[in-house]
Amino acid sequence: MLILGIETSCDETAAALVSGDGTVVSDAVHSQIKLHAPYGGVVPELASRDHLRNVRPVIREVFSKAGLSPSALSGIAVTCRPGLSGALLVGVQVAKGLAFALDKPIVGVDHLVGHLLAVFLKFPGAPTQPAPEYPFVALLASGGHTALYRVAGPAIAQINELGATRDDAAGECFDKVGKLLGLGYPGGPVIDRLAKDGNPDAVQLPWPMRRKGSLEFSFSGLKSNMLRWVNEHGLPKDEQAQKDLCAAFQRRVVDTLIWKALEAARAERVSTLVLAGGVAANRELRERSAAQAAPHGIRVVVPPFKACTDNASMIAYAGLHRLAAGENDAGALLMSPHTCLPQSTKKGRGKRDN
Ligand code: KG4
Ligand code: ZN
């Protein structure tokens, strides 16, 4: 099998070719970070127009890198939700056009399911880790979502949300704090880099919601506390003070994510915790989660860095199972509920206010 994945839900235009066993044959990502950076967040109108410009080039690129022609495809998988509607429509319409012209089956994929299954992707040449066994608990932390899931298999019906954020997503909190500290957009990777050499105990910040027994998150309070801290003390006076503040902030976010994720894994009696989404690229989250999970007999599995942030390989992989089962959404709107996880988070993806 050879699946073409297409992803345009937010600020990355991506295409990938993935084979039946999850091997990434070729992939391409055009990032819009530079386009949105001056605004401190994603501007939906600019995102849609940039997807229009780049969707054909990224698709061409994956075929030329692989030395394959579209006739080799078994089917097409495209992100159908959640996301910015104008941005999603670019990918969906291109995918539908291709499927029609090539007479290939097409399936719509929930972007969140893509993130949850990214851990199964195999990148030739990259060190391989043993794939997780179902069922596992997954922490999905990205710019638009933060939630915990029990994943019993790759189908929508096998994925259950255990708890989600009541307000801001973890990545959104990183980005807003990055903007507050004048670190540019997106703030997550910059804060991660600065925090590495900072002292997390140099600044005392309150913990974001850590009630025992609750698997819900809330990061808006921490964001407000950072604003209050800056209003009171001013921006950090030197490089070390900036690193310390980033380290203190990051420690609060990371420890809260780990604490709740381990609570969920123990409650669900699973021995594997999967980290997914852009925030799973965070160095401290990757290191500390593994160390804190081990004493509980829980193994933490994290996708390679490039599979954490938005990409089309994960979309192709998530669509693979339905295509292999002979399913085809060609006649449907592709945004129908059976292709999507129930949306229970209060703030939907794409509703970020910058
Ligand atoms: O999954 P993703 O690429 O897009 C969404 O689906 O939202 O996640 C992007 C988010 C951004 O908020 C970005 O700041 C965050 O992931 N992120 C990080 C790191 N790398 C990306 N957050 C913390 N540490 C990182 N190293
Ligand atoms: Zn994403």
Side-chain angles (χ1 to χ4, degrees):
M1 276 194 98
L2 184 73
I3 309 300
L4 169 66
I6 299 175
E7 154 66 37
T8 64
S9 67
C10 193
D11 57 349
E12 261 94 27
T13 318
L17 293 173
V18 172
S19 67
D21 69 347
T23 300
V24 179
V25 177
S26 65
D27 62 349
V29 180
H30 173 86
S31 166
Q32 300 181 354
I33 283 180
K34 282 197 183 125
L35 179 71
H36 301 293
Y39 308 94
V42 179
V43 182
E45 175 73 14
L46 295 182
S48 317
R49 289 173 188 272
D50 205 56
H51 286 308
L52 270 178
R53 258 189 299 273
N54 293 300
V55 70
R56 277 176 42 147
V58 293
I59 293 171
R60 278 187 196 284
E61 187 180 334
V62 292
F63 282 108
S64 88
K65 276 206 254 184
L68 292 169
S69 89
S71 61
L73 287 178
S74 317
I76 299 173
V78 60
T79 306
C80 62
R81 65 175 283 183
L84 304 169
S85 30
L88 283 166
L89 279 171
V90 174
V92 166
Q93 289 307 106
V94 165
K96 284 184 101 168
L98 267 177
F100 179 71
L102 298 168
D103 195 21
K104 304 283 182 189
I106 178 172
V107 292
V109 169
D110 187 302
H111 180 85
L112 306 183
V113 177
H115 275 304
L116 293 174
L117 303 182
V119 74
F120 292 101
L121 290 170
K122 296 175 195 147
F123 291 89
T128 46
Q129 54 180 346
E133 276 176 26
Y134 294 114
F136 56 81
V137 161
L139 166 71
L140 169 51
S142 70
H145 284 88
T146 295
L148 286 159
Y149 297 89
R150 178 189 172 86
V151 183
I156 292 275
Q158 295 170 297
I159 302 175
N160 289 310
E161 188 182 282
L162 304 170
T165 182
R166 291 181 172 189
D167 39 57
D168 292 358
E172 182 182 6
C173 188
F174 267 104
D175 294 342
K176 285 180 176 168
V177 167
K179 190 175 175 184
L180 172 72
L181 300 180
L183 301 176
Y185 173 82
V190 188
I191 291 177
D192 188 5
R193 184 166 40 77
L194 292 170
K196 190 161 67 71
D197 303 316
N199 171 9
D201 300 318
V203 180
Q204 289 310 310
L205 296 166
W207 286 103
M209 211 169 90
R210 288 232 298 188
R211 247 193 350 256
K212 204 166 166 41
S214 163
L215 296 178
E216 288 190 312
F217 299 91
S218 169
F219 291 106
S220 66
L222 178 61
K223 182 186 66 184
S224 306
N225 275 298
M226 290 295 289
L227 178 62
R228 213 167 296 134
W229 193 95
V230 169
N231 285 341
E232 218 170 283
H233 302 88
L235 284 170
K237 307 279 177 288
D238 56 44
E239 212 177 306
Q240 191 55 47
Q242 189 182 51
K243 289 175 175 171
D244 290 346
L245 186 58
C246 286
F249 163 75
Q250 181 169 284
R251 178 61 55 91
R252 291 295 186 268
V253 177
V254 163
D255 273 2
T256 303
L257 291 173
I258 297 173
W259 198 71
K260 301 242 170 179
L262 289 180
E263 194 162 279
R266 286 201 302 271
E268 294 297 320
R269 298 177 199 284
V270 299
S271 57
T272 307
L273 171 64
V274 166
L275 305 183
V279 180
N282 185 274
R283 176 198 50 84
E284 188 175 351
L285 177 61
R286 294 165 86 98
E287 287 170 10
R288 286 172 69 84
S289 57
Q292 291 184 30
H296 301 281
I298 295 171
R299 180 169 80 102
V300 177
V301 191
V302 197
F305 282 101
K306 70 186 228 177
C308 288
T309 47
D310 288 352
N311 65 87
S313 304
M314 67 184 194
I315 303 304
Y317 184 81
L320 190 68
H321 305 89
R322 291 188 57 220
L323 287 164
E327 294 184 40
N328 189 355
D329 292 339
L333 279 174
L334 271 179
M335 310 247 176
S336 55
H338 74 276
T339 58
C340 309
L341 287 175
Q343 297 293 293
S344 65
T345 47
K346 295 227 164 91
K347 284 185 73 174
R349 183 181 155 76
K351 287 194 188 156
R352 287 186 244 184
D353 45 342
N354 300 315

